[in-house]
Amino acid sequence: PGLIRQSTDSILSVGYVISRTAGPSMKRDARLYDIVQRLRDGRLHTAAEIAGQLGVSTRTIWRDMEMLAATGLPVTGERGLG
């Protein structure tokens, strides 16, 4: 596992409404939105921490981070403790 963070100098805007599912599993768009909101606090987060909060696997978080980076959001991940 590693640490994940988003650059705090970016401006994010979301121009659509995110719908959430009732239950332990979230739809991908809602999960991506939640990840971005968590990363905006400027702290370092582990994939395991985010996965536990969202009820998904750490591998899912890494896939989601890859998707966010591909859209141009300034997110970085690095291997480390936790």
Side-chain angles (χ1 to χ4, degrees):
L3 300 175
I4 302 169
R5 75 174 147 200
Q6 177 198 6
S7 173
T8 56
D9 59 346
S10 67
I11 298 174
L12 300 176
S13 64
V14 177
Y16 56 92
V17 176
I18 302 295
S19 62
R20 297 176 184 265
T21 59
S25 177
M26 302 177 87
K27 288 187 178 182
R28 187 174 200 190
D29 58 348
R31 191 174 61 243
L32 292 173
Y33 179 80
D34 278 1
I35 290 171
V36 169
Q37 294 309 307
R38 290 169 198 281
L39 297 179
R40 291 184 76 190
D41 67 7
R43 296 184 312 112
L44 294 176
H45 299 273
T46 65
E49 171 192 343
I50 296 170
Q53 293 168 347
L54 300 181
V56 296
S57 71
T58 56
R59 180 66 187 126
T60 296
I61 297 301
W62 283 108
R63 284 187 196 116
D64 289 348
M65 294 303 296
E66 185 177 358
M67 170 69 82
L68 290 171
T71 65
L73 286 174
V75 293
T76 59
E78 54 190 60
R79 290 188 109 17
L81 298 175

